[in-house]
Amino acid sequence: MEIEVLEGVFDANEMIAKENRALLEEAGTFMINLMASPGAGKTSVITKTLEGVRGTLSSGVIEGDIAGKVDAERIAALGIPAVQINTGGSCHLEARQINGALLKLDLSALDLVIVENVGNLVCPAEFKLGEDLKVMILSVAEGHDKPLKYPLMFSESDVLIVNKIDLIPYTDFDMKALLETVGKMNPDAEIFELSCRTGEGVEAWTDWLKKKVAGS
Amino acid sequence: MEIEVLEGVFDANEMIAKENRALLEEAGTFMINLMASPGAGKTSVITKTLEGVRGTLSSGVIEGDIAGKVDAERIAALGIPAVQINTGGSCHLEARQINGALLKLDLSALDLVIVENVGNLVCPAEFKLGEDLKVMILSVAEGHDKPLKYPLMFSESDVLIVNKIDLIPYTDFDMKALLETVGKMNPDAEIFELSCRTGEGVEAWTDWLKKKVAGS
């Protein structure tokens, strides 16, 4: 009984995710679903990405939060179109919320939309939004053992950004162990090691992204 | 319709949480529900707590993870009774899972049971387990702005442990700002600033806990 209800939820979500894809393809807009734990650096990765693609891609942002609009205001202050979604307690974004947000953006003027999902390493992985790319961030401070504990997120993501590498000297983080585990779970994942704080490694990610959007 | 289903889930959970309380009270066992984001240091806080109360309290641990049993093995290696719950994809523990785990432990021999919830700053806050104390951990690396984004967890918790304070010099973490925000949202919360890595501040927490358990 419980499983049936859940399947119904996923089916309905997938139908709307397909609608979102049609909207995006018609407009020629590339959409990223950015997922991570609270405090892994989602908003920082977004602002660094916006800086890095500026001049090449015109971007918009959809901010998903349980409450508040700090993030959307921070993005809008950069002159970037931003829509805030408040989930009102729910721990992930669903396709119908993205649908509403996409209709508020002028998609025909945008090459790239970055969706900042709710900070959660579990549930967001289960809900397709109609994205071109699932990108997850792992912060060095979270530890290299996370893939085994949150396997769905690590195996579903197309890109893994390892953020806060400037903290490596002050932690027990083992990059080699992380790469080995992820390599087994998700051998096709693109992996970028960077620090939004120092800027190290950011360009490799934004250069790759620009090529990816151009080729889509 | 959706709301009714959810209320049903919460009601059923609360009923079993009350059963858990009765079990614990009969045995004279104090139970902590420990919640945090992935990688905030739940397992490290548990091992430090077990060390700190050793000789005064006899303890057991219930480990909640989506998959795997690394944590329970790590605890059992310390000679502490440990039960592993695998949620099989679900992002939080529920009272019925704790009920099953409590029945596997010899409660009459235990003063303290620590439950390690699934790494998630959202959903675990909504499900009572029958605990005496809700304890949450925020890692310095997650940032001081988290209470506004995950308000339920910060306002529901009886204790806030700010972990990894050894990283403060290498981050933009503002302890004063955090304490101000939490002070407004949850003025009764007990707050402990510590580092499991260096040991700084751990004793203040375990001393407080020992008194709390003795007075319960």
Side-chain angles (χ1 to χ4, degrees), chain A residues 156-168:
Chain A
E156 283 275 313
S157 294
D158 306 298
V159 175
L160 165 62
I161 292 179
V162 186
N163 190 21
K164 309 195 187 181
I165 55 169
D166 55 304
L167 290 180
I168 290 179

Side-chain angles (χ1 to χ4, degrees), chain B residues 35 66 86 103 114 118 141 150 196:
Chain B
M35 300 174 283
I66 291 169
N86 278 156
L103 297 175
I114 307 179
V118 179
Y150 305 92
C196 288

